[in-house]
C-alpha cells in the first residue's frame, strides 16, 4: 500500500478542489514525503456525501503529479469508514510504524472525540494544517502533553475555497474555473452531479 515516506490525506473530497491539491503539494515540499496519498472516505459515519466511485474517479482525473496518488482502500473495508479502521490496516502494512496523517487544526482539536482515539494516538504522526479557525496554537500544543505525536505545517499555500462553495456554484451552473480541475468539471457535468 504505502511506506513511511508516504503521507496520507483523508477526506470526503466532495469534490476535490485546488485547495486540497495545493495543501498536499505544500506538505510534500515542507516535510519531504515521497508521496501524498489521498484516501477518500467510502462511507463516512457523520456526513452525507456523493457516491464513493464518483469522488474516486474525480480524484484520479485531477491528481496529475507522480507524487500525488489516490487509494480506494476504504471501499474494501467494512463500513462505516472510521479512520481508526483504515489506520489499523495501514499500520499493519507498514510493520506497525507510525503513519503520517494530514489533519486541519479544527479537526485535530477534537481528535479525542473521534472513534477509538487511542488507536489514532498510537499509530499516527499528525501533520497539522493551520486552517483559519478560532483554534489557538497553545490548545493544539496541549495535545502533545496527552501523548499525541504531531508536527505543525508552517509553510502552507492556502487557497480559500470549500467543497460546499463549489457544489453551490455547480448547482447554480456557475463557472468554477480556477477552483477545480477542468476535467473534474467536465466529469461532474457529464454525470449531472450536485444538481
Amino acid at each position: 500500500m504505502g511506506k513511511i515516506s508516504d503521507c496520507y490525506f483523508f477526506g470526503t473530497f466532495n469534490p476535490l478542489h485546488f485547495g486540497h491539491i495545493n495543501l498536499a503539494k505544500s506538505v510534500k515540499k515542507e516535510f519531504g514525503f515521497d508521496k501524498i496519498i489521498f484516501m477518500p472516505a467510502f462511507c463516512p459515519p457523520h456526513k452525507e456525501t456523493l457516491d464513493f466511485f464518483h469522488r474516486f474517479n474525480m480524484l484520479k482525473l485531477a491528481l496529475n503529479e507522480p507524487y500525488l496518488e489516490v487509494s480506494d482502500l476504504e471501499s474494501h473495508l467494512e463500513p462505516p469508514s472510521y479512520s481508526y479502521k483504515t489506520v489499523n490496516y495501514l499500520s499493519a502494512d507498514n510493520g506497525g510504524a507510525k503513519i503520517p496523517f494530514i489533519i486541519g487544526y479544527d479537526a485535530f482539536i477534537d481528535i479525542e472525540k473521534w472513534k477509538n482515539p487511542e488507536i489514532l494516538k498510537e499509530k499516527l504522526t499528525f501533520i497539522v494544517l493551520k486552517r483559519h479557525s478560532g483554534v489557538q496554537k497553545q490548545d493544539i500544543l496541549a495535545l502533545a502533553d496527552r501523548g499525541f505525536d504531531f508536527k505543525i505545517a508552517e509553510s502552507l499555500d492556502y487557497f480559500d475555497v470549500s467543497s460546499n462553495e463549489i457544489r453551490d456554484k455547480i448547482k447554480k451552473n456557475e463557472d468554477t474555473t480556477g477552483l477545480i480541475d477542468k476535467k473534474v468539471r467536465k466529469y461532474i457535468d457529464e454525470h449531472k452531479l450536485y444538481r
Side-chain angles (χ1 to χ4, degrees):
M1 165 56 64
K3 52 188 184 302
I4 301 313
S5 53
D6 296 339
C7 182
Y8 290 86
F9 194 176
F10 285 47
T12 51
F13 306 113
N14 185 34
L16 177 81
H17 53 66
F18 287 134
H20 295 127
I21 293 171
N22 288 0
L23 288 173
K25 288 179 176 179
S26 293
V27 165
K28 182 198 181 297
K29 185 175 179 185
E30 181 171 343
F31 296 97
F33 294 114
D34 289 342
K35 290 179 184 172
I36 306 293
I37 300 175
F38 286 72
M39 186 72 69
F42 178 64
C43 182
H46 308 300
K47 227 180 230 186
E48 286 289 318
T49 192
L50 188 68
D51 179 78
F52 171 83
F53 292 100
H54 283 310
R55 291 180 287 114
F56 179 75
N57 288 338
M58 288 189 282
L59 279 155
K60 285 199 298 185
L61 286 171
L63 300 179
N64 50 20
E65 298 286 353
Y67 56 82
L68 299 178
E69 290 186 0
V70 58
S71 170
D72 67 351
L73 174 62
E74 287 206 348
S75 69
H76 301 286
L77 301 178
E78 185 78 21
S81 301
Y82 286 112
S83 296
Y84 83 90
K85 294 181 182 178
T86 313
V87 165
N88 270 338
Y89 186 95
L90 293 172
S91 179
D93 200 43
N94 279 310
K98 286 197 172 188
I99 305 296
F101 180 101
I102 295 171
I103 191 169
Y105 254 39
D106 44 352
F108 191 48
I109 200 69
D110 288 331
I111 195 68
E112 290 166 310
K113 297 175 185 172
W114 289 30
K115 186 87 166 172
N116 292 333
E118 292 302 315
I119 291 174
L120 303 176
K121 182 191 293 188
E122 175 194 343
K123 300 191 174 183
L124 294 176
T125 296
F126 295 92
I127 306 297
V128 184
L129 310 177
K130 294 194 293 184
R131 291 213 169 121
H132 307 298
S133 64
V135 178
Q136 300 299 309
K137 190 170 183 178
Q138 63 264 25
D139 295 329
I140 294 291
L141 295 176
L143 286 165
D145 299 331
R146 301 205 287 278
F148 287 89
D149 179 18
F150 62 90
K151 298 169 183 170
I152 296 176
E154 301 289 353
S155 61
L156 292 182
D157 181 12
Y158 269 103
F159 188 84
D160 195 17
V161 65
S162 71
S163 294
N164 192 50
E165 178 187 337
I166 290 164
R167 291 194 302 272
D168 191 49
K169 281 182 173 292
I170 292 164
K171 193 172 184 180
K172 295 174 181 172
N173 204 31
E174 293 177 0
D175 186 25
T176 52
T177 302
L179 302 176
I180 60 174
D181 190 285
K182 287 177 183 174
K183 295 188 294 293
V184 169
R185 181 58 193 257
K186 185 173 182 232
Y187 182 95
I188 288 168
D189 291 341
E190 283 174 355
H191 291 86
K192 299 180 171 55
L193 306 177
Y194 306 121
R195 298 304 200 272

